[in-house]
Amino acid sequence: MMLLRVGGSLFLLEFEEFRNNPFFGIGVGRAKEIRFQKTGIHAASHNEVSRIIAEHGMFGVFAFLILLLAPIIF
């Protein structure tokens, strides 16, 4: 049960960073560093999508969608 709470809080922290930096994100690889500064938790993200959103912003979301949909369309 504790893992679920930690994973959920990691997602919420990453989503909060996305809301603070919606277009360009917080920068590649900075989610773990910022999480440690705010909470003292030194853990990797459990959710790749939330990490991409937080670190890369909307441009990362668009790039992720291109990588996801290109093989399906072509």
Side-chain angles (χ1 to χ4, degrees):
M1 189 60 142
M2 183 63 174
L3 181 61
L4 179 61
R5 289 182 186 154
V6 172
S9 66
L10 294 178
F11 178 81
L12 292 176
L13 286 169
E14 289 172 347
F15 191 71
E16 178 184 339
E17 292 303 324
F18 169 70
R19 287 192 326 209
N20 293 336
N21 303 286
F23 296 107
F24 296 108
I26 57 177
V28 178
R30 295 220 41 230
K32 191 173 180 181
E33 174 187 329
I34 290 173
R35 181 182 318 112
F36 182 71
Q37 290 173 356
K38 287 186 173 185
T39 65
I41 298 172
H42 207 25
S45 178
H46 290 17
N47 187 333
E48 191 66 18
V49 175
S50 68
R51 186 194 61 79
I52 288 173
I53 290 171
E55 291 184 357
H56 304 285
M58 290 304 296
F59 291 110
V61 171
F62 291 133
F64 181 71
L65 288 175
I66 289 170
L67 289 173
L68 184 67
L69 297 176
I72 296 171
I73 294 171
F74 301 106

